[in-house]
């Protein structure tokens, strides 16, 4: 019997470029794309992280292409997409996972801090996607999946610029979805809540905040990176052919409301 899951979520014959794949979330998502049948190119600007992610994904038996680029440079964004497109033969999926943060109260943020966060989190997605669109349009369609954040909708102190950058990503997702709907390019975002990675170690490694997480997050815990795979496969596969301009919140229920301190 033919099983619907084998076709609806299959990435057989597809190709993908994953940015920031040296990171904890990017590498897990890139591996999931490879395990679903896609030929994957991974990107990072850190050699060690890139090599680690390559070895991690090659555990699946899939071959992986690697690309190094500093995404704060708009020209490098275009070159990365064009090189990945040439090496993969086509570009079906662009998964934007590269990101950065500097936690500081607003009064301490410098113009350099501001640009460093915005350039990676928002500006790079703009120019990577701009470079991917002609390739995807010429081949009849594609998928762009942006890793935004819960902080696009829910403000937390000390991450003002990060939150603004991610709100920008979620809004850019809608704008690109509208302009490219006629090219059969679906553009969507994922807004993860707190994911247990090195990126958030300063938060969960702190006793006060760990206690706060246990009360604030309805599930009582942070997410594991692999809990973002389901939303990613939905947005990267034929299953989302009629979904565009959306952000899927994967936050353990935070945005569902608030719980009294005493339930
Ligand atoms: N960890 C969380 O709780 C969480 C929650 C919501 C959203 N996110 C988002 O998920 C994405 C991945 O997060 P992560 O936890 O895997 O973080 P991570 O730091 O492990 O991964 C981010 C990767 O981006 C790369 N990168 C940073 N600056 C770059 C630049 N200028 N050029 C090229 N590459 C660059 C880093 O080398 C790193 O490998 C980020 O966009 C982050 O904002 C994370
Ligand atoms: O301090 C941080 O680094 C940020 O809070 C993020 O990493 C959060 O995990 C996320 O943005 C919540 O969605």
């Amino acid at each position: 019997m033919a099983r619907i899951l084998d076709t609806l979520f299959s990435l057989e014959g597809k190709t993908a470029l994953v940015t920031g794949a040296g990171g904890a979330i990017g590498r897990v998502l890139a591996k999931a794309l490879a395990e679903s049948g896609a030929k994957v190119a991974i990107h990072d600007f850190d050699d060690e992280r890139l090599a680690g992610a390559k070895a991690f994904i090659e555990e699946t038996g899939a071959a992986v292409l690697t690309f190094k680029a500093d995404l704060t440079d708009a020209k490098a964004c275009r070159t990365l997409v064009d090189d990945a497109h040439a090496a993969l033969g086509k570009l079906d999926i662009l998964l934007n996972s590269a990101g950065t943060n500097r936690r500081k109260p607003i009064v301490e943020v410098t113009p350099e801090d501001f640009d460093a966060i915005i350039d990676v989190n928002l500006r790079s997605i703009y120019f990577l996607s701009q470079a991917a669109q002609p390739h995807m349009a010429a081949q009849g369609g594609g998928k762009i999946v942006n890793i935004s954040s819960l902080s696009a909708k829910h403000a937390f102190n000390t991450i003002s610029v990060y939150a603004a950058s991610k709100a920008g990503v979620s809004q850019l997702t809608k704008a690109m979805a509208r302009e490219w709907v006629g090219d059969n390019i679906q553009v969507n975002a994922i807004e993860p809540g707190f994911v247990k990675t090195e990126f958030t170690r300063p938060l969960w490694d702190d006793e006060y905040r760990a206690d706060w997480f246990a009360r604030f997050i309805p599930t009582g815990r942070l997410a594991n990176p692999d809990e973002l795979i389901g939303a990613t496969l939905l947005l990267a596969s034929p299953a989302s052919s009629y979904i565009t301009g959306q952000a899927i919140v994967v936050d353990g229920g935070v945005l569902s409301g608030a719980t009294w301190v005493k339930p």
Side-chain angles (χ1 to χ4, degrees):
M1 186 182 72
R3 299 182 64 90
I4 193 165
L5 288 181
D6 294 342
T7 50
L8 202 57
F9 290 91
S10 171
L11 300 181
E12 272 326 313
K14 304 289 186 192
T15 65
L17 169 63
V18 182
T19 73
I25 291 174
R27 68 193 327 232
V28 165
L29 300 183
K31 189 179 193 180
L33 297 181
E35 285 176 326
S36 304
K39 190 168 153 192
V40 173
I42 58 170
H43 151 274
D44 210 281
F45 75 161
D46 181 298
D47 286 320
E48 232 173 89
R49 281 167 171 254
L50 200 52
K54 183 178 192 306
F56 174 71
I57 298 164
E58 285 182 344
E59 283 170 12
T60 61
V64 178
L65 302 168
T66 57
F67 292 90
K68 190 180 169 182
D70 181 351
L71 300 185
T72 58
D73 175 354
K75 242 196 222 158
C77 291
R78 178 164 293 275
T79 304
L80 168 63
V81 169
D82 289 347
D83 288 353
H85 173 263
L88 291 165
K90 59 179 185 149
L91 183 62
D92 296 305
I93 300 158
L94 171 62
L95 173 56
N96 288 308
S97 185
T100 194
N101 200 2
R102 296 183 183 184
R103 292 183 200 85
K104 286 181 178 182
I106 293 168
V107 290
E108 290 175 18
V109 171
T110 64
E112 196 268 326
D113 290 328
F114 189 96
D115 289 349
I117 298 168
I118 296 289
D119 285 358
V120 181
N121 293 5
L122 179 58
R123 192 171 180 266
S124 82
I125 292 187
Y126 197 99
F127 291 107
L128 287 160
S129 305
Q130 187 191 63
Q133 185 270 345
H135 297 305
M136 291 179 172
Q139 73 200 21
K143 304 276 187 181
I144 299 178
V145 183
N146 296 322
I147 306 299
S148 179
S149 163
L150 173 64
S151 57
K153 293 202 170 92
H154 195 103
F156 301 92
N157 54 353
T158 74
I159 56 164
S160 56
V161 185
Y162 179 85
S165 74
K166 294 298 189 177
V169 169
S170 293
Q171 189 61 18
L172 192 57
T173 298
K174 294 186 204 171
M176 288 181 169
R178 292 196 68 87
E179 284 205 20
W180 300 340
V181 72
D183 298 319
N184 189 29
I185 300 172
Q186 287 83 48
V187 189
N188 290 290
I190 297 173
E191 295 177 346
F194 294 92
V195 186
K196 199 164 186 183
T197 69
E198 282 307 307
F199 195 80
T200 48
R201 178 182 283 280
L203 305 179
W204 51 260
D205 219 11
D206 172 272
E207 206 181 320
Y208 173 84
R209 288 193 176 111
D211 180 58
W212 183 85
F213 280 137
R215 292 166 195 272
F216 175 74
I217 305 173
T219 54
R221 62 174 179 84
L222 284 79
N224 297 312
D226 60 11
E227 291 179 300
L228 301 179
I229 292 174
T232 301
L233 294 185
L234 168 65
L235 299 179
S237 69
S240 56
S241 57
Y242 203 64
I243 300 175
T244 198
Q246 297 301 307
I248 299 183
V249 181
V250 183
D251 69 348
V254 170
L255 278 193
S256 61
T259 306
W260 296 111
V261 176
K262 278 189 182 173

